[in-house]
PDB file of all heavy atoms in Angstrom:
ATOM      1  N   LEU B   9     -16.691  44.705  30.447  1.00 88.00           N
ATOM      2  CA  LEU B   9     -16.684  43.589  31.401  1.00 88.00           C
ATOM      3  C   LEU B   9     -17.857  42.642  31.181  1.00 88.00           C
ATOM      4  O   LEU B   9     -17.758  41.434  31.400  1.00 88.00           O
ATOM      5  CB  LEU B   9     -16.737  44.133  32.835  1.00 88.00           C
ATOM      6  CG  LEU B   9     -15.413  44.673  33.382  1.00 88.00           C
ATOM      7  CD1 LEU B   9     -15.652  45.400  34.689  1.00 88.00           C
ATOM      8  CD2 LEU B   9     -14.424  43.533  33.598  1.00 88.00           C
ATOM      9  N   LEU B  10     -18.991  43.231  30.753  1.00 91.00           N
ATOM     10  CA  LEU B  10     -20.196  42.412  30.597  1.00 91.00           C
ATOM     11  C   LEU B  10     -20.238  41.702  29.243  1.00 91.00           C
ATOM     12  O   LEU B  10     -20.734  40.578  29.124  1.00 91.00           O
ATOM     13  CB  LEU B  10     -21.444  43.290  30.759  1.00 91.00           C
ATOM     14  CG  LEU B  10     -21.596  43.950  32.143  1.00 91.00           C
ATOM     15  CD1 LEU B  10     -22.740  44.943  32.143  1.00 91.00           C
ATOM     16  CD2 LEU B  10     -21.831  42.887  33.203  1.00 91.00           C
ATOM     17  N   LEU B  11     -19.781  42.414  28.239  1.00 93.00           N
ATOM     18  CA  LEU B  11     -19.680  41.811  26.890  1.00 93.00           C
ATOM     19  C   LEU B  11     -18.190  41.703  26.589  1.00 93.00           C
ATOM     20  O   LEU B  11     -17.650  42.472  25.799  1.00 93.00           O
ATOM     21  CB  LEU B  11     -20.341  42.726  25.865  1.00 93.00           C
ATOM     22  CG  LEU B  11     -21.840  42.622  25.659  1.00 93.00           C
ATOM     23  CD1 LEU B  11     -22.336  43.783  24.803  1.00 93.00           C
ATOM     24  CD2 LEU B  11     -22.212  41.319  24.971  1.00 93.00           C
ATOM     25  N   PRO B  12     -17.517  40.756  27.214  1.00 93.00           N
ATOM     26  CA  PRO B  12     -16.054  40.841  27.274  1.00 93.00           C
ATOM     27  C   PRO B  12     -15.369  40.572  25.934  1.00 93.00           C
ATOM     28  O   PRO B  12     -15.755  39.663  25.204  1.00 93.00           O
ATOM     29  CB  PRO B  12     -15.699  39.757  28.287  1.00 93.00           C
ATOM     30  CG  PRO B  12     -16.810  38.783  28.197  1.00 93.00           C
ATOM     31  CD  PRO B  12     -18.039  39.556  27.870  1.00 93.00           C
ATOM     32  N   LEU B  13     -14.366  41.391  25.673  1.00 94.00           N
ATOM     33  CA  LEU B  13     -13.474  41.143  24.543  1.00 94.00           C
ATOM     34  C   LEU B  13     -12.137  40.657  25.115  1.00 94.00           C
ATOM     35  O   LEU B  13     -11.829  40.905  26.284  1.00 94.00           O
ATOM     36  CB  LEU B  13     -13.275  42.430  23.731  1.00 94.00           C
ATOM     37  CG  LEU B  13     -14.549  43.039  23.123  1.00 94.00           C
ATOM     38  CD1 LEU B  13     -14.225  44.339  22.399  1.00 94.00           C
ATOM     39  CD2 LEU B  13     -15.210  42.069  22.160  1.00 94.00           C
ATOM     40  N   PHE B  14     -11.367  39.971  24.284  1.00 91.00           N
ATOM     41  CA  PHE B  14     -10.086  39.428  24.745  1.00 91.00           C
ATOM     42  C   PHE B  14      -9.186  40.574  25.216  1.00 91.00           C
ATOM     43  O   PHE B  14      -9.131  41.604  24.546  1.00 91.00           O
ATOM     44  CB  PHE B  14      -9.415  38.668  23.591  1.00 91.00           C
ATOM     45  CG  PHE B  14      -8.211  37.890  23.988  1.00 91.00           C
ATOM     46  CD1 PHE B  14      -8.336  36.645  24.574  1.00 91.00           C
ATOM     47  CD2 PHE B  14      -6.941  38.418  23.799  1.00 91.00           C
ATOM     48  CE1 PHE B  14      -7.219  35.919  24.948  1.00 91.00           C
ATOM     49  CE2 PHE B  14      -5.826  37.702  24.179  1.00 91.00           C
ATOM     50  CZ  PHE B  14      -5.971  36.447  24.750  1.00 91.00           C
ATOM     51  N   PRO B  15      -8.479  40.485  26.326  1.00 91.00           N
ATOM     52  CA  PRO B  15      -8.309  39.341  27.226  1.00 91.00           C
ATOM     53  C   PRO B  15      -9.307  39.290  28.395  1.00 91.00           C
ATOM     54  O   PRO B  15      -9.252  38.366  29.181  1.00 91.00           O
ATOM     55  CB  PRO B  15      -6.888  39.543  27.743  1.00 91.00           C
ATOM     56  CG  PRO B  15      -6.714  41.013  27.780  1.00 91.00           C
ATOM     57  CD  PRO B  15      -7.526  41.577  26.654  1.00 91.00           C
ATOM     58  N   LEU B  16     -10.196  40.323  28.485  1.00 94.00           N
ATOM     59  CA  LEU B  16     -11.168  40.291  29.582  1.00 94.00           C
ATOM     60  C   LEU B  16     -12.080  39.072  29.481  1.00 94.00           C
ATOM     61  O   LEU B  16     -12.640  38.607  30.469  1.00 94.00           O
ATOM     62  CB  LEU B  16     -12.017  41.569  29.561  1.00 94.00           C
ATOM     63  CG  LEU B  16     -11.320  42.838  30.064  1.00 94.00           C
ATOM     64  CD1 LEU B  16     -12.203  44.050  29.864  1.00 94.00           C
ATOM     65  CD2 LEU B  16     -10.981  42.694  31.544  1.00 94.00           C
ATOM     66  N   SER B  17     -12.234  38.570  28.280  1.00 95.00           N
ATOM     67  CA  SER B  17     -13.082  37.396  28.066  1.00 95.00           C
ATOM     68  C   SER B  17     -12.577  36.199  28.881  1.00 95.00           C
ATOM     69  O   SER B  17     -13.371  35.364  29.321  1.00 95.00           O
ATOM     70  CB  SER B  17     -13.092  37.048  26.582  1.00 95.00           C
ATOM     71  OG  SER B  17     -11.769  36.903  26.124  1.00 95.00           O
ATOM     72  N   MET B  18     -11.272  36.129  29.074  1.00 95.00           N
ATOM     73  CA  MET B  18     -10.716  35.014  29.861  1.00 95.00           C
ATOM     74  C   MET B  18     -11.197  35.087  31.305  1.00 95.00           C
ATOM     75  O   MET B  18     -11.539  34.085  31.917  1.00 95.00           O
ATOM     76  CB  MET B  18      -9.182  35.053  29.823  1.00 95.00           C
ATOM     77  CG  MET B  18      -8.611  34.689  28.473  1.00 95.00           C
ATOM     78  SD  MET B  18      -6.831  34.741  28.466  1.00 95.00           S
ATOM     79  CE  MET B  18      -6.433  33.362  29.504  1.00 95.00           C
ATOM     80  N   LEU B  19     -11.245  36.335  31.820  1.00 95.00           N
ATOM     81  CA  LEU B  19     -11.696  36.537  33.198  1.00 95.00           C
ATOM     82  C   LEU B  19     -13.146  36.096  33.345  1.00 95.00           C
ATOM     83  O   LEU B  19     -13.508  35.338  34.255  1.00 95.00           O
ATOM     84  CB  LEU B  19     -11.533  38.028  33.544  1.00 95.00           C
ATOM     85  CG  LEU B  19     -11.985  38.437  34.939  1.00 95.00           C
ATOM     86  CD1 LEU B  19     -11.024  37.895  35.980  1.00 95.00           C
ATOM     87  CD2 LEU B  19     -12.078  39.954  35.049  1.00 95.00           C
ATOM     88  N   VAL B  20     -13.988  36.560  32.425  1.00 95.00           N
ATOM     89  CA  VAL B  20     -15.419  36.226  32.492  1.00 95.00           C
ATOM     90  C   VAL B  20     -15.624  34.719  32.341  1.00 95.00           C
ATOM     91  O   VAL B  20     -16.447  34.122  33.045  1.00 95.00           O
ATOM     92  CB  VAL B  20     -16.198  37.018  31.421  1.00 95.00           C
ATOM     93  CG1 VAL B  20     -17.648  36.567  31.358  1.00 95.00           C
ATOM     94  CG2 VAL B  20     -16.120  38.493  31.713  1.00 95.00           C
ATOM     95  N   ASN B  21     -14.870  34.099  31.453  1.00 95.00           N
ATOM     96  CA  ASN B  21     -14.986  32.646  31.276  1.00 95.00           C
ATOM     97  C   ASN B  21     -14.556  31.895  32.531  1.00 95.00           C
ATOM     98  O   ASN B  21     -15.173  30.895  32.903  1.00 95.00           O
ATOM     99  CB  ASN B  21     -14.140  32.196  30.089  1.00 95.00           C
ATOM    100  CG  ASN B  21     -14.942  32.169  28.816  1.00 95.00           C
ATOM    101  OD1 ASN B  21     -15.729  31.250  28.597  1.00 95.00           O
ATOM    102  ND2 ASN B  21     -14.791  33.182  27.987  1.00 95.00           N
ATOM    103  N   ALA B  22     -13.514  32.407  33.178  1.00 95.00           N
ATOM    104  CA  ALA B  22     -13.057  31.762  34.412  1.00 95.00           C
ATOM    105  C   ALA B  22     -14.130  31.879  35.494  1.00 95.00           C
ATOM    106  O   ALA B  22     -14.390  30.914  36.231  1.00 95.00           O
ATOM    107  CB  ALA B  22     -11.756  32.408  34.873  1.00 95.00           C
ATOM    108  N   VAL B  23     -14.770  33.050  35.566  1.00 95.00           N
ATOM    109  CA  VAL B  23     -15.847  33.241  36.548  1.00 95.00           C
ATOM    110  C   VAL B  23     -17.009  32.295  36.248  1.00 95.00           C
ATOM    111  O   VAL B  23     -17.541  31.633  37.145  1.00 95.00           O
ATOM    112  CB  VAL B  23     -16.318  34.721  36.538  1.00 95.00           C
ATOM    113  CG1 VAL B  23     -17.584  34.896  37.363  1.00 95.00           C
ATOM    114  CG2 VAL B  23     -15.220  35.623  37.066  1.00 95.00           C
ATOM    115  N   LEU B  24     -17.384  32.223  34.981  1.00 94.00           N
ATOM    116  CA  LEU B  24     -18.498  31.344  34.589  1.00 94.00           C
ATOM    117  C   LEU B  24     -18.199  29.890  34.942  1.00 94.00           C
ATOM    118  O   LEU B  24     -19.078  29.150  35.380  1.00 94.00           O
ATOM    119  CB  LEU B  24     -18.750  31.452  33.081  1.00 94.00           C
ATOM    120  CG  LEU B  24     -19.661  32.585  32.614  1.00 94.00           C
ATOM    121  CD1 LEU B  24     -19.657  32.678  31.094  1.00 94.00           C
ATOM    122  CD2 LEU B  24     -21.087  32.364  33.100  1.00 94.00           C
TER     123      LEU B  24
END
Side-chain angles (χ1 to χ4, degrees):
Chain B
L9 282 170
L10 298 172
L11 275 169
L13 300 177
F14 189 81
L16 285 174
S17 54
M18 290 180 69
L19 179 71
V20 173
N21 268 283
V23 170
L24 275 172

